[in-house]
Amino acid sequence: MLAPIAGLGLEVTRRVSELGALARFVWEALASARSLTRAGRRVAFRVFANQLWFTALQAVPLIIALSGILSFLVISQAVRELGRLGATELIGTLMVVAIVRELGPLLTALSVAGRSGTAIAAELATNRVMGEVDALEGMGIDPQHYLVLPRLGAAIVSVSSLIVLFDLVAIFSGLVAAVANGMSTARYFDIVLRSLSFGDAGLSALKGLVFGAIIGTVPCFHGLRVRRAATEVPIASSRAVVVSILFIFLGSAAFVAVR
Amino acid sequence: MDGHPLVFEAVTLNHGLTLDLQVPAHCAVSIVGAEDSGVGCLGRYALGLERPASGKVLVLGEEIGTMARRHALAFRRRVGYLPAGDGLLQNLSLYDNIALPLRFGTSLSEREIAGRMRIMVTMVGIGGVAQHRPAAVNEEQRRRAALARALALNPSLVILEQPFDGLTVAAAAELLELARGGETAEGSMRTVFIVGQHLPEILRRRIEFCYRLGRSGLEREN
């Protein structure tokens, strides 16, 4: 009769211990930055630049498409429906609250997690399975320096930049939708810019930092956790993306709660 | 310490065996044994990548396993290591793989590294494929690149795990000579420690101490 309770307890213990291991991994990664030599920084920067290419630049078309379509649809509907009620002023609030403040960072982070998070976890898990991580350690190269820190830095920079891109495209796509539905450009910008504040920009930047850190660390943690079997690689990728998405949603909720 | 760059003291292996071994300087020493004998762990024990259940391993007079991580990483740069299965990074070319320890562990400029690299890729005979990734070359070329990477910082001690598996005898002999680094009055330039499951007969003539790890312990074969 106690078996289900014991099972539940075991599961909770496992999850908490996993969370502890993740926290320790993040701490060790950040602490390892202190011992990065000048020569090591040069090598790490190359990896960082490669990651930036893959995580940020190659994701640009996806972010433009997502943001453009979403904003066009939302603003088209809003101009039409709110116009009937004579409340077109509210599209500024809609644009800022719904798209710039919430959906922009969230959708950007989810896209990067789905695209790059899985790739990072799969790559690092393969590194581990192929003995490359041990080879690095054997050569005196800290895998945190070579594998984790550049990916963490690149994820933070990428997510932050892509959020800015998402917001800009959303604003201009919203303009196209508004103009197509009879609103003048000047009036659109007047409404939207009046609703935008520096606080929104700051919040977006903070979200970029937090979501980028999640995408930079969770997949690295799960990727490097595998041992020797190739069958663990897809499991690590899938777990990495699920946990990243969960943390991104929890982070998003925490931002709303704190505000 | 000078006479024995690598020392295994009462290191517990599988089947309740205990290993005591001193690897003399300027010599090549090999230990072969079955997969389940624990012979495959010796290199990892030596580099502190894994710790034996009991006993200790001294490398150049130091026990890496007890060092702080940061110091252990710096210390390992003094030892050449060719892991089983080569351990080359798949997303880097052979050239970049070999240059990695130089880029990470020295303050050499990229130009100086390029100079050294020209010598190294020629020495190990992979000049024509150096810009290829590991997946695009054959096993022998990968092994040559992995050995060049292990020798990049010119270590006095080299640990090779299963370095000759799948190679022709001629290629294996050439790699062994490269690892030895030439001859001095005292013996080979470097101390070479080889572990694996099999060693071609002809190589035993160039290895001063060949051991087999069996159920009854370590037995000298030559």
Side-chain angles (χ1 to χ4, degrees):
Chain A
M1 195 183 125
L2 289 174
I5 300 169
L8 186 69
L10 209 64
E11 184 62 21
V12 170
T13 312
R14 198 175 66 79
R15 298 279 173 189
V16 170
S17 128
E18 199 163 287
L19 209 59
L22 174 63
R24 190 183 163 157
F25 176 83
V26 174
W27 171 250
E28 282 175 354
L30 295 176
S32 78
R34 281 181 305 169
S35 59
L36 192 56
T37 60
R38 199 172 163 182
R41 276 202 295 272
R42 270 199 328 232
V43 179
F45 184 78
R46 282 182 182 214
V47 183
F48 168 82
N50 270 339
Q51 289 297 314
L52 214 55
W53 167 257
F54 171 73
T55 308
L57 292 175
Q58 290 190 353
V60 164
L62 173 70
I63 296 300
I64 289 176
L66 266 180
S67 168
I69 294 168
L70 175 83
S71 177
F72 188 87
L73 292 177
V74 170
I75 298 301
S76 294
Q77 296 292 321
V79 171
R80 235 176 277 159
E81 299 305 320
L82 294 175
R84 266 187 234 158
L85 303 170
T88 43
E89 294 279 327
L90 287 176
I91 66 158
T93 311
L94 191 66
M95 173 59 85
V96 172
V97 173
I99 298 181
V100 173
R101 204 186 288 163
E102 295 301 330
L103 287 178
L106 189 62
L107 286 180
T108 305
L110 292 179
S111 311
V112 177
R115 205 180 155 273
S116 302
T118 42
I120 290 172
E123 188 182 8
L124 266 51
T126 309
N127 287 154
R128 174 69 84 186
V129 171
M130 300 284 283
E132 294 166 26
V133 178
D134 283 346
L136 283 174
E137 292 241 17
M139 286 188 282
I141 297 173
D142 192 341
Q144 300 274 15
H145 291 166
Y146 186 73
L147 300 173
V148 180
L149 288 178
R151 283 166 175 78
L152 172 60
I156 290 173
V157 173
S158 300
V159 174
S160 303
S161 325
L162 290 171
I163 287 175
V164 172
L165 177 71
F166 190 104
D167 291 347
L168 287 175
V169 172
I171 289 171
F172 282 99
S173 174
L175 167 70
V176 174
V179 171
N181 286 281
M183 187 183 274
S184 73
T185 306
R187 181 156 165 71
Y188 171 81
F189 274 121
D190 181 48
I191 292 171
V192 170
L193 293 179
R194 241 190 300 134
S195 308
L196 262 177
S197 68
F198 279 111
D200 295 312
L203 188 66
S204 280
L206 193 59
K207 283 186 174 182
L209 183 78
V210 172
F211 295 162
I214 290 170
I215 296 165
T217 49
V218 173
C220 287
F221 170 70
H222 284 283
L224 290 175
R225 258 192 134 192
V226 305
R227 287 296 152 222
R228 305 293 299 181
T231 48
E232 292 178 67
V233 176
I235 298 169
S237 302
S238 138
R239 196 167 288 165
V241 81
V242 168
V243 175
S244 298
I245 288 172
L246 180 69
F247 280 3
I248 288 166
F249 270 105
L250 287 175
S252 214
F255 274 113
V256 174
V258 170
R259 251 177 99 92
Chain B
M1 177 217 108
D2 202 36
H4 299 105
L6 181 57
V7 178
F8 292 89
E9 280 182 12
V11 171
T12 308
L13 299 172
N14 296 346
H15 310 301
L17 288 176
T18 304
L19 178 73
D20 280 290
L21 177 72
Q22 295 182 327
V23 176
H26 306 289
C27 284
V29 175
S30 70
I31 302 183
V32 293
E35 197 176 355
D36 66 347
S37 65
V39 73
C41 297
L42 294 177
R44 298 173 59 76
Y45 289 163
L47 286 160
L49 297 173
E50 215 173 297
R51 292 192 76 168
S54 66
K56 65 178 179 181
V57 188
L58 298 172
V59 180
L60 307 173
E62 308 263 1
E63 193 180 353
I64 303 181
T66 59
M67 287 179 185
R69 182 173 166 74
R70 191 177 161 187
H71 294 122
L73 285 163
F75 190 85
R76 284 182 197 134
R77 293 182 199 144
R78 295 170 61 187
V79 181
Y81 177 50
L82 192 162
D86 70 52
L88 293 171
L89 295 163
Q90 300 297 309
N91 60 350
L92 296 183
S93 66
L94 298 184
Y95 181 99
D96 286 333
N97 263 290
I98 301 167
L100 192 59
L102 293 169
R103 285 179 177 145
F104 222 102
T106 70
S107 52
L108 294 174
S109 68
E110 199 55 38
R111 198 175 163 168
E112 289 168 315
I113 289 172
R116 277 206 196 187
M117 287 297 297
R118 265 195 297 279
I119 298 167
M120 298 213 64
V121 295
T122 310
M123 184 181 82
V124 296
I126 54 163
V129 293
Q131 295 304 332
H132 290 36
R133 289 195 178 188
V137 300
N138 63 35
E139 194 173 354
E140 185 187 322
Q141 289 161 333
R142 281 200 298 275
R143 207 68 60 79
R144 283 172 183 273
L147 181 64
R149 186 176 70 175
L151 303 178
L153 294 171
N154 198 18
S156 59
L157 170 67
V158 190
I159 296 171
L160 311 176
E161 288 179 350
Q162 302 176 19
F164 310 124
D165 290 9
L167 299 187
T168 62
V169 173
E174 197 187 330
L175 289 194
L176 178 58
E177 290 312 316
L178 286 168
R180 290 176 67 97
E183 299 301 313
T184 66
E186 297 156 301
S188 64
M189 172 109 153
R190 296 190 191 93
T191 304
V192 183
F193 180 64
I194 303 163
V195 293
Q197 289 159 36
H198 170 71
L199 196 64
E201 195 55 43
I202 198 163
L203 295 189
R204 290 168 195 265
R205 292 182 209 157
R206 292 292 292 145
I207 295 174
E208 283 84 353
F209 299 93
C210 295
Y211 294 96
R212 174 167 292 280
L213 189 64
R215 294 270 167 158
S216 55
L218 203 61
E219 292 165 20
R220 187 156 175 198
E221 289 189 315
N222 64 346

